[in-house]
Amino acid sequence: MILSRVGLSKMHIAGNTLVQKAPSEVQYYAERGEDPYAINVHRMDSHGRWVGTPTELVKFASGIDGLRPSANLLQGASIAAMTHPSAANPAYASGWAVNSAPNWWHSGSLPGTTSLLVRTASGMCWAACTNARTGDSSHALDDMMWKMARSVRSRQA
């Protein structure tokens, strides 16, 4: 499996129901009448079906970030293509939001979950996940993580 090359063995495909959740997987909670278990995640394929911890997401991103060529899952040209903005949308590349820094990230939100994975131009990488979603949880999570990242004084090699 390709994920094992970056030390991932516990990421898995989500089930549709509370009964189908993995033993170590959290229970998801929703608000405003949403039901996190009413979503047919089996039809989502790559855009919301994987279950992983923030640590696993960081390991994945570190395996495709281009900073350590010998440890990357992808060739440099693939990483460049994956993170280069399209002409149609300068803030979006092949599955990643991008900016001119160049930072790249991906966030996700479904009833019962909010997630964020960021790789900065300075080499920092972080992920955060919650087992709930509120109206502004994506922005609140992003703001909190950037505040933490800005408080880091130096980076160890």
Side-chain angles (χ1 to χ4, degrees), residues 101-115:
N103 299 326
W104 41 275
W105 65 97
H106 196 285
S107 61
S109 178
L110 293 169
T113 185
T114 304
S115 62

Side-chain angles (χ1 to χ4, degrees), residues 59-126:
K59 284 182 180 181
F60 171 74
S62 295
I64 60 168
D65 67 4
L67 296 176
R68 290 162 302 283
S70 63
N72 276 289
L73 296 172
L74 303 173
Q75 299 289 327
S78 296
I79 295 167
M82 170 182 85
T83 59
H84 185 75
S86 68
N89 185 348
Y92 191 76
S94 299
W96 296 98
V98 294
N99 63 20
S100 61
N103 299 326
W104 41 275
W105 65 97
H106 196 285
S107 61
S109 178
L110 293 169
T113 185
T114 304
S115 62
L116 175 66
L117 174 59
V118 175
R119 188 281 209 169
T120 69
S122 67
M124 292 183 75
C125 183
W126 64 80

Side-chain angles (χ1 to χ4, degrees), residues 24 26 49 55 71 73-74 76 82 93 101 108 124 131 138 145 147:
S24 62
V26 299
R49 194 170 170 197
T55 300
L73 296 172
L74 303 173
M82 170 182 85
M124 292 183 75
N131 63 334
S138 290
M145 296 305 294
K147 183 176 181 182

Side-chain angles (χ1 to χ4, degrees), residues 39-74:
I39 302 166
N40 187 356
V41 294
H42 287 285
R43 295 191 61 201
M44 292 190 167
D45 298 320
S46 64
H47 77 278
R49 194 170 170 197
W50 281 97
V51 176
T53 66
T55 300
E56 291 167 323
L57 293 174
V58 166
K59 284 182 180 181
F60 171 74
S62 295
I64 60 168
D65 67 4
L67 296 176
R68 290 162 302 283
S70 63
N72 276 289
L73 296 172
L74 303 173

